[in-house]
Amino acid sequence: MSARDPGAVDAFRALHHGGGPLVLPTVWDAVSARAFAGAGFPALATSSSAVAATLGYADGEGAPPDEMFAAVARIVRAVEVPVTADVERGYGLAPREIAERLLEAGAVGCNLEDSDPATRKLLDPGRQAEWLAEVCAAADGGLLVNARVDAYVRGADDPLAAAVERGRLYAAAGAGCVYPILAPPDHLPVLAAETGAPVNALCVLGQSPPPAELGALGAARVTFGGSLHDRAAAAVARTAAELYGGRGRL
């Protein structure tokens, strides 16, 4: 099914309720997207940090929004599976413009963060919920919003309690998934039980439990942040070193 098919968002939403974790490789360009789609994954996500690095910018909204949305559109065009896009805090755009740009790019969903990329401080959860509700309303069912919860990375006094509170508010606002990034694995059962929405867990290659284990703990969805791009970039660096050391012999 093409990500531009009107039914793609419904198919993508259903994947969050399939009885096992939806494993979403986080891609950064058409080549990586085609590789993971070709391997059989039913949907893909973009990584804002990986896309920004590919475009030559720093993470944390360093990439201009026009370039970020254009990159998302290229990834969508390259594959025949649904693609959800990490658009950080929305690049200062109004909720309606965020939704319109995502829909124009062909994305079926998005990540939106609840901390300020400039100050790195958590935003008021009530206001964030209202903002998310505006994005959802503007999308009119055309996007699955994955509401990122930054309680664990922005110094909340009780990150589990804060993540539950924020997750409940965001789910009530229309988010189809909540993403308590860097939540410890043993917090996932509580988060899954208490937020009232599918939970996205971050899997960092070589550091986190594997996706199946995260799913058994309560994650409905597993993504990888920039770690897949980091692995690919490391492989390119090794190849470059080998090529330079052998002066053309690999």
Side-chain angles (χ1 to χ4, degrees), residues 163-186:
V164 168
E165 176 195 6
R166 288 169 179 269
R168 286 174 175 168
L169 285 170
Y170 304 161
C177 191
V178 295
Y179 181 18
I181 188 169
L182 290 182
D186 61 352

Side-chain angles (χ1 to χ4, degrees), residues 174-241:
C177 191
V178 295
Y179 181 18
I181 188 169
L182 290 182
D186 61 352
H187 286 193
L188 290 175
V190 175
L191 291 162
E194 297 294 334
T195 58
V199 171
N200 187 150
L202 175 66
C203 179
V204 179
L205 294 179
Q207 299 178 32
S208 305
E213 186 174 335
L214 294 172
L217 289 169
R221 162 171 160 167
V222 176
T223 52
F224 300 85
S227 65
L228 300 180
H229 177 260
D230 291 343
R231 176 174 286 194
V236 171
R238 287 194 299 272
T239 301

